[in-house]
């Protein structure tokens, strides 16, 4: 760690070059990435309810401006947190934005640090039962999706493909573990439709209609 509480080795020149390319206000955005320190960047809370994204199809982009480009910024990656990325996936899911779900999930998958293990995602303790049910279902679906990738032979952090045995047996791997809090969140009494025709089993178990396939892009 340096005196700002940031990991050593951050490429600040690259951070500045990317910000100058993608941001209309690079100085301001650099300041936002540095403050407050030494804490991780926080996602804006409370999260919108799922219905809010159906009412405003610009809400995800408004709350997460230029996120595909910002994720390339070394300083942002150093200060980003698993819970913030998880919340971005929640928002993309509620917005029914398949490319955003896939790219943010891939970003999460490629973070090899121990603190990015799914088991370590803290309990959101969301007071809104609808949001809480969606978050719990999403967490369960992410664990399923990550273990599916591991069984295929993919490894977190962008490591090379691990071949199966000749008989098709998957190469040994340490599975992602479900956070205990997810299993304690009850189903909704009234059906919630995030995506018409959605067949995601983890969401369906909580009376939520949504797709899970975008979590499994490889």
């Amino acid at each position: 760690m340096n005196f700002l509480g940031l990991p050593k080795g951050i490429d600040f020149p690259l951070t500045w070059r990317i910000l100058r390319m993608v941001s209309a206000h690079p100085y301001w955005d650099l300041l936002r990435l540095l403050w407050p320190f030494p804490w991780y960047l926080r996602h804006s809370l409370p999260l919108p309810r799922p219905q809010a994204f159906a009412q405003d199809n610009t809400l995800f982009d408004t709350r997460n401006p230029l996120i595909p480009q910002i994720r390339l910024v070394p300083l942002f990656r150093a200060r980003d947190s698993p819970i913030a990325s998880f919340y971005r996936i929640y928002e993309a899911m509620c917005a029914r934005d398949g490319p955003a779900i896939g790219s943010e999930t891939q970003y999460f998958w490629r973070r090899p640090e121990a603190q990015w293990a799914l088991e370590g995602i803290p309990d959101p303790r969301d007071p809104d039962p609808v949001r809480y049910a969606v978050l719990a279902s999403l967490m369960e679906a992410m664990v399923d999706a990550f273990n599916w990738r591991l069984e295929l032979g993919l490894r977190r952090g962008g490591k090379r493909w691990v071949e199966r045995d000749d008989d098709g047996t998957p190469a040994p791997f340490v599975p992602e573990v479900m956070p205990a809090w997810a299993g304690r969140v009850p189903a909704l009494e009234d059906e919630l439709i995030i995506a018409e025709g959605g067949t995601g089993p983890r969401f369906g178990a909580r009376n939520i209609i949504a797709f899970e396939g975008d979590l499994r892009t490889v």
Side-chain angles (χ1 to χ4, degrees):
M1 293 285 185
N2 60 23
F3 75 98
L4 291 176
L6 297 171
K8 294 181 179 179
I10 296 174
D11 192 334
F12 280 96
L14 179 59
T15 291
W16 179 240
R17 288 200 300 273
I18 295 175
L19 286 177
R20 289 187 64 186
M21 286 189 294
V22 305
S23 174
H25 307 285
Y27 289 101
W28 172 243
D29 286 336
L30 179 61
L31 180 62
R32 290 176 60 196
L33 288 174
L34 288 170
W35 183 266
F37 61 87
W39 303 288
Y40 287 109
L41 297 171
R42 293 183 175 90
H43 194 75
S44 178
L45 297 176
L47 297 169
R49 301 186 86 222
Q51 299 90 331
F53 293 90
Q55 297 163 1
D56 180 0
N57 59 14
T58 68
L59 184 57
F60 176 78
D61 291 329
T62 300
R63 287 178 53 82
N64 303 279
L66 297 174
I67 191 61
Q69 293 86 354
I70 294 299
R71 285 197 306 257
L72 299 174
V73 176
L75 181 56
F76 174 83
R77 293 201 302 270
R79 303 205 64 204
D80 197 14
S81 66
I83 189 66
S85 181
F86 176 58
Y87 285 154
R88 292 194 295 268
I89 298 172
Y90 160 86
E91 294 193 11
M93 178 72 70
C94 293
R96 304 179 304 283
D97 189 332
I101 298 168
S103 65
E104 187 68 41
T105 303
Q106 190 71 357
Y107 166 77
F108 198 118
W109 167 262
R110 288 180 174 272
R111 296 298 301 254
E113 302 93 325
Q115 64 267 31
W116 284 73
L118 293 177
E119 185 182 17
I121 296 290
D123 187 346
R125 301 184 185 278
D126 198 308
D128 183 281
V130 173
R131 276 197 308 255
Y132 205 13
V134 174
L135 288 166
S137 301
L138 175 59
M139 174 50 60
E140 292 172 343
M142 285 181 65
V143 171
D144 291 344
F146 278 27
N147 284 333
W148 172 79
R149 293 171 185 232
L150 291 167
E151 188 171 341
L152 283 180
L154 298 172
R155 294 296 180 263
R156 294 198 61 176
K159 296 179 181 178
R160 68 178 182 84
W161 190 284
V162 180
E163 296 289 345
R164 290 173 176 250
D165 290 340
D166 292 339
D167 63 358
T169 302
F173 64 88
V174 178
E176 293 282 344
V177 178
M178 196 78 68
W181 62 265
R184 296 193 293 264
V185 180
L188 299 176
E189 293 184 4
D190 298 323
E191 183 180 75
L192 171 67
I193 300 177
I194 291 178
E196 289 280 359
T199 57
R202 292 294 191 174
F203 287 90
R206 288 191 175 84
N207 208 16
I208 302 168
I209 307 302
F211 290 106
E212 298 176 8
D214 290 312
L215 299 171
R216 300 193 178 211
T217 55
V218 294

